[in-house]
Amino acid sequence: MTLLIAWRNLVHDRIRFAITLTGIAFSTILMGIQLGMLLNFVHTISTVVDHAGADLWITAEGVPSVDLATPLQERRRFQAMSVEGVAAAEPYMLHFGFLKRPDGVRQIVIVIGIDPDATMGLPFAMVEGPSAKEALAEPDGAVIDRLYADKLGIRTLGETVEINSHRIRVVGFTDGIRTFTQAPYVFMSLAKARSFFYAPDNDIAYVLVRVAEGHKPEAVAEALAARMSEVEVLTAGQLAWRSQYYWLVTTGAGITLVSSTLLALLVGVVIVAQTLYASTMDRLPEYAVIRAMGGPRSYLYRIIVQQAVLGGVFGAAIGLAVIAVVVVFTRHLSSAPEVPLWLAFGIVVATMLMCVAASIGSIGKVMTVDPVKVFR
Amino acid sequence: MMQPILSARGLVHNFGEGPSAVQVLKNIDIDILPGEVLLLVGPSGSGKTTLVHILGHLLRPTAGKITICGKSTETLDEDRLAELRLQHFGFIFQAHNLFPMLTATENVMVALDLMGVEKDVARVRAHELLGSVGLGHRIDAFPSELSIGQKQRVAIARALAADPEILIADEPTAALDSENGLKAMELLQALARNSRRAVVIVTHDFRIFQFANRVLHLEDGRIVDKPPESSHSFGAGSAS
């Protein structure tokens, strides 16, 4: 019966109901999009680390993020190979460069150079063109992500552009390798990348290490660090976290997203609390009757909380539907919210908690209901 | 001698404390008998509303003792008092105070739900109660679709849902025209007669005196002896 009363209370005033749902949906959408963007940023920042297939990354000291590499001498790779537990150690070049589009517009890019025979760090998610190894083996071949094809002035495979005044031909497209820095990744062979930046033959950015079976990455990392000075040996997870921390915390980007999410929650609480409180005030005489008839206060609390939760369910459903549409229509953009099922579930739970929190004011009001007042 | 359903002795009630306290009830003794229609009348400020609050256990007296079916209610806490009201009292309010978004049936079902009656059983019982007050044809109507007299009947049906021994009505005819007021009082009188309930009515309406078995006049917080007005006929009802 309380659920029926709660539902009828909710829908009795259509305008108020619409305001309530709009408020909850707005809050849900804002939370979903902000958290979805945050999740996308987290994944985007570390995407080349997450998909490189390396257990360990040897970096120059103090590298704050994978995209902000400091040159490392390739001899580190040979040193690494002599350490027990290392199955493979491969060079990985990463350098910012300028790409000149066919129309003359210059665009900053991140060039990643890998040996075509490499087993780690290759462009992943190839969707057009030959295999990654074949693409990198082509003399002027390069691979870009098709999300950025327009941005880089590429319409189809085979078109050419210049990077640092060197010609490259796009021979393969990946799908979904986003960049957080807005400088798209361009994959090419290590030798070509070195020549583009006039780097010495022994300059690289990272050494990617695969740990032999039966060895723990952390233990091998310690052995490598003990063997080499002036470098850091990080697990893939550590480098990913360091990169995420740098971009999201030290730049304030993540704090902005998180604070927007909290603000969305607050807005939702205020809107739901206000409409719920108004509804409760309207029903006070009837609630007083229930108290007079001998109904316990918990009966009234149930009505109010159920009213809040019902509003939350419908508001969250509308919000999630809008979020789903946004996710679908932005999936091919360079920046798009990611809302996996667990996050959607979390948003619904947060919305429910928000609505229940919003009912506290109304419950406080109902606590003061005096059954005597209905006689006046 | 007939045993009272409710017996109150030495009821005193003050509003406020200390030197500024106002005593609104002064040593009231009252017995409420099964099957009677008891009217509480008096001028504004005489204490009749406070008395009915206390009799209905909506308000604790400053002093005095009430027993229901021989059991004292003095030491009951708020929760037990609520249970007591649920089990023994039915209330009919001047403004009806029906849930506007619930149908007549659902309004009655709320009272049954408070008693823990299962939903389907409650619906059947609500229909029976509405039928018993002459609203069998309006069971699915919302309060906004009912006349004032019909709303009053829904309120009566709701008050009867828990099958209480005592019905307390606050100015039940104040908002009704003569015809509907008469019908409401006939219904309450029949409920008292036929089911041995006591009906306690606070009223200013002299038209309904004819339905009372007893009329208690309150003045300045005391029950006073007052001869019946010549224009009103008392005792038409009988507490059998």
Side-chain angles (χ1 to χ4, degrees), chain A residues 16-47:
Chain A
R16 187 181 290 158
F17 182 48
I19 292 170
T20 305
L21 288 191
T22 304
I24 297 169
F26 171 77
S27 180
T28 305
I29 292 165
L30 209 52
M31 274 193 289
I33 300 297
Q34 297 294 327
L35 290 175
M37 289 305 295
L38 183 63
L39 190 63
N40 174 263
F41 287 171
V42 166
H43 288 159
T44 300
I45 287 166
S46 61
T47 189

Side-chain angles (χ1 to χ4, degrees), chain B residues 33 49 109 125 152 156 166 172 221 226:
Chain B
L33 303 172
T49 302
M109 285 173 70
R125 176 77 182 127
Q152 183 71 297
I156 293 171
I166 304 170
K226 196 169 183 180

Side-chain angles (χ1 to χ4, degrees), chain B residues 100-112:
Chain B
M101 69 292 174
L102 299 182
T103 64
T105 300
E106 289 160 351
N107 266 288
V108 178
M109 285 173 70
V110 170
L112 293 161

Side-chain angles (χ1 to χ4, degrees), chain B residues 100-132:
Chain B
M101 69 292 174
L102 299 182
T103 64
T105 300
E106 289 160 351
N107 266 288
V108 178
M109 285 173 70
V110 170
L112 293 161
D113 188 48
L114 289 175
M115 298 182 64
V117 177
E118 200 264 324
K119 192 177 173 184
D120 291 338
V121 177
R123 188 174 297 280
V124 172
R125 176 77 182 127
H127 288 168
E128 287 171 2
L129 286 164
L130 287 168
S132 72

Side-chain angles (χ1 to χ4, degrees), chain A residues 181-192:
Chain A
T181 60
Q182 293 307 305
Y185 293 111
V186 178
F187 293 87
M188 60 179 68
S189 71
L190 178 63
K192 197 153 52 234

Side-chain angles (χ1 to χ4, degrees), chain A residues 143-227:
Chain A
V143 174
I144 65 168
D145 197 278
R146 65 179 175 194
L147 285 174
Y148 300 100
D150 283 344
K151 188 173 187 175
L152 301 181
I154 303 293
R155 290 185 301 276
T156 58
L157 289 183
E159 290 191 324
T160 59
V161 285
E162 287 181 8
I163 293 180
N164 287 12
S165 303
H166 295 271
R167 198 178 77 112
I168 61 157
R169 189 161 52 88
V170 176
V171 295
F173 282 139
T174 59
D175 183 40
I177 304 182
R178 290 187 169 92
T179 173
F180 183 74
T181 60
Q182 293 307 305
Y185 293 111
V186 178
F187 293 87
M188 60 179 68
S189 71
L190 178 63
K192 197 153 52 234
R194 276 177 173 150
S195 69
F196 279 20
F197 299 104
Y198 306 105
D201 279 353
N202 61 352
D203 255 17
I204 55 174
Y206 302 103
V207 176
L208 273 53
V209 175
R210 179 178 298 112
V211 172
E213 272 187 41
H215 289 78
K216 288 186 176 176
E218 291 78 9
V220 177
E222 277 184 30
L224 284 166
R227 177 69 185 271

